Amino acid sequence: MSDALARPAAAGTSAPPRSNAVVAVLALAGIVVSLMQTLVIPIVPELPKLLDAPASDTAWAVTATLLAAAVATPVVGRLGDMVGKRRMLLTSIVLLVSGSVVCALADSLVPMIVGRALQGLSAAVVPLGISILRDTVSAEKLAGSTAVMSASLGVGGALGLPTAAFIADNWDWHILFWTSATLGVVSFLLVLTFVPESRNRVGGRFDLVGSLGLAAGLVSLLLAVSKGADWGWTSGTTLGLGAAAGLILAAWGWWELKAKQPLVDLRTTARPQVLFTNLASIALGVSMFAMSLVLPQLLQLPEQTGYGLGRSMLTVGLVLAPQGLVMMVMSAASAKITKAKGPKVTLMVGALIVASGYGLNILLMSEVWHLILVSCIIGAGIGFTYGALPALIMGAVDPSQTGAANSLNTLMRSLGTSFASAIAGVVLAQMTTDFGGYALPSENGFKVVMAIGAGAALAAFLLATFIPKRKAPAGLSVVEDAAGTEGAEEATPVKA
């Protein structure tokens, strides 16, 4: 049996008394990155005036982050496996700080887009953090630690919106980015102090061709999906990018299968536990975004529409903030179910909770407390699923592949989010109501989007049923033990 599959304590990568500090510091890093993603939301409508540029151009301040994150996540994850996860985590945080400073100094469009792209390059922090936990945290604490780390994404997003809205309403908008930079520096120093470097490295040569191919394919695909509504879904640009994405990704897959040290081991991703977990992640990405799109609009639309609640962006943030706290609380429950029944069951339970939340939202959407209740229920379900996904992935791959595998899984969720944005955009553009000469999304349009969210969660549940559940042979990695010995039959020991 390979030393890579030994228990973390035996590997000597971390002293047990420091494990709680490691988890706390990594979770903080995840929160800081997710805060970065939401800080810009309150000022998006004001960016054309703030940057003296057309709205179609300022939208790139959001798109640039999306594209950079999609490209960086799998690449940085693979580099983490090769040269050190802590090293790449620190590099990602440096990129976050650099991008935040550029945005904080920006008064025009180009620096803002550059800064937002640099911020997007830090998106691999959470999957890297989860992979570090596998190497540093004891078996009995791994499931709970992974769930907490995963929940940091939702916590940061939920807390970031009201914080950003409060700052934008009361101070200069540049302070948003100075805040992000400051938190990034604090996170960097804490990681430098408390998080050890893993000895689990594969070394070798980086697959530059594979990384360039994946980047080109993802950028083409995400541009077609995210800008299709603006350019026209049947326009030559959208269709051309879609066709290019298909051809490039097909060629990339051929290259990865023949490469000796591929960026993404496609044979590993074809294992049932990894494959169906990633497919379920795409479905969950679709489901999770539906709430992020519907609830803020319902809260902000004028009361005169008959279904809008006429609230401010700050109120929107405060309504969504409890969701992040619920996610953190549910991460503990998620870990208990994972230890007792395995992450497959945890994922299925979470998907059903998310679906029930959307179903309730279709019936309850006329009061602020309705939306608080719904967001908390959906947040509880997300808390379960976020904790289960990395456990399933790590239970099926060799420790030397955890950075790349977790990063790919994170990318799958992001792709689901992008698809959801496009689908919801089409639905809400087609189902409108006239309000003083302006076309606004109709109440039925929002209900259809919520139904899509519920359907996507049920699809994730169905996909999870195909994840194999078998007991692990003795001696496999700590993750299989912590994950209820699920899927370990897929982990192939490496000969010493």
Side-chain angles (χ1 to χ4, degrees):
M1 185 66 64
S2 167
D3 290 340
L5 292 176
R7 299 176 70 88
T13 57
S14 173
R18 291 165 58 98
S19 62
N20 290 337
V22 171
V23 175
V25 169
L26 292 175
L28 175 63
I31 290 173
V32 171
V33 169
S34 56
L35 277 170
M36 171 274 296
Q37 295 172 341
T38 56
L39 279 179
V40 75
I41 292 177
I43 63 171
V44 166
E46 303 297 322
L47 284 178
K49 180 178 67 175
L50 296 173
L51 301 176
D52 191 24
S56 58
D57 291 340
T58 58
W60 285 97
V62 176
T63 305
T65 308
L66 169 69
L67 298 178
V71 171
T73 300
V75 172
V76 174
R78 177 59 178 161
L79 286 171
D81 289 334
M82 295 178 67
V83 303
K85 302 178 184 75
R86 176 177 178 265
R87 179 178 298 176
M88 294 312 302
L89 177 65
L90 290 169
T91 301
S92 296
I93 296 174
V94 168
L95 290 169
L96 168 67
V97 174
S98 301
S100 300
V101 171
V102 171
C103 290
L105 297 173
D107 285 308
S108 58
L109 181 62
V110 173
M112 175 62 75
I113 293 176
V114 171
R116 290 291 291 164
L118 286 171
Q119 287 185 317
L121 293 175
S122 68
V125 163
V126 171
L128 282 173
I130 292 171
S131 301
I132 290 172
L133 290 176
R134 183 180 191 179
D135 298 336
T136 59
V137 175
S138 62
E140 60 273 14
K141 291 184 177 181
L142 183 59
S145 300
T146 300
V148 169
M149 184 68 200
S150 298
S152 68
L153 275 174
V155 174
L159 298 180
L161 191 55
T163 302
F166 180 75
I167 292 174
D169 286 346
N170 293 279
W171 292 287
D172 180 81
W173 63 275
H174 293 91
I175 294 178
L176 291 170
F177 296 102
W178 286 121
T179 301
S180 177
T182 301
L183 291 173
V185 170
V186 171
S187 181
F188 179 90
L189 294 175
L190 289 174
V191 169
L192 200 61
T193 302
F194 292 101
V195 178
E197 182 59 88
S198 168
R199 296 179 186 174
N200 245 341
R201 303 183 194 179
V202 296
R205 178 178 296 179
F206 179 68
D207 183 11
L208 180 60
V209 174
S211 64
L212 293 175
L214 182 60
L218 287 174
V219 168
S220 299
L221 175 63
L222 290 173
L223 277 177
V225 171
S226 62
K227 299 301 246 182
D230 297 331
W231 294 337
W233 292 107
T234 58
S235 70
T237 302
T238 302
L239 294 177
L241 284 170
L247 292 173
I248 293 171
L249 291 175
W252 171 79
W254 170 81
W255 172 267
E256 293 298 284
L257 287 172
K258 67 184 284 290
K260 292 183 178 179
Q261 294 179 310
L263 177 72
V264 177
D265 187 343
L266 294 182
R267 292 179 177 84
T268 297
T269 61
R271 294 172 180 171
Q273 181 156 324
V274 180
L275 174 63
F276 286 105
T277 300
N278 283 334
L279 291 175
S281 297
I282 295 175
L284 286 169
V286 172
S287 182
M288 293 168 187
F289 184 78
M291 176 194 62
S292 302
L293 181 69
V294 170
L295 267 60
Q297 291 197 56
L298 283 174
L299 283 162
Q300 289 184 281
L301 284 174
E303 292 183 72
Q304 291 83 351
T305 59
Y307 52 90
L309 299 178
R311 306 300 173 127
S312 66
M313 177 59 75
L314 178 58
T315 302
V316 172
L318 293 174
V319 167
L320 296 178
Q323 177 198 57
L325 301 178
V326 169
M327 287 180 62
M328 186 60 74
V329 171
M330 286 298 105
S331 66
S334 166
K336 290 182 180 179
I337 295 178
T338 294
K339 288 180 179 179
K341 300 294 184 180
K344 173 181 176 177
V345 173
T346 308
L347 175 59
M348 295 171 70
V349 170
L352 289 178
I353 294 174
V354 171
S356 66
Y358 280 113
L360 186 62
N361 199 184
I362 294 174
L363 302 175
L364 297 178
M365 53 185 291
S366 59
E367 301 287 344
V368 172
W369 72 267
H370 290 170
L371 302 187
I372 295 175
L373 174 63
V374 165
S375 69
C376 287
I377 292 174
I378 296 175
I382 294 173
F384 276 87
T385 60
Y386 269 11
L389 292 172
L392 284 164
I393 292 295
M394 291 190 294
V397 303
D398 188 272
S400 64
Q401 297 177 325
T402 52
N406 277 319
S407 296
L408 183 64
N409 181 254
T410 300
L411 175 62
M412 293 300 104
R413 274 181 277 171
S414 298
L415 289 178
T417 298
S418 299
F419 296 149
S421 176
I423 295 168
V426 170
V427 170
L428 296 181
Q430 296 298 317
M431 303 182 69
T432 61
T433 184
D434 181 75
F435 182 74
Y438 294 92
L440 297 178
S442 67
E443 182 177 12
N444 286 334
F446 287 124
K447 290 183 177 180
V448 168
V449 174
M450 287 184 275
I452 292 172
L458 292 175
F461 173 85
L462 180 62
L463 288 165
T465 63
F466 291 97
I467 296 173
K469 181 178 181 181
R470 297 175 190 171
K471 289 190 175 182
L476 283 181
S477 74
V478 63
V479 172
E480 284 80 6
D481 296 335
T485 66
E486 194 168 332
E489 77 284 358
E490 299 291 353
T492 304
V494 180
K495 292 182 180 180

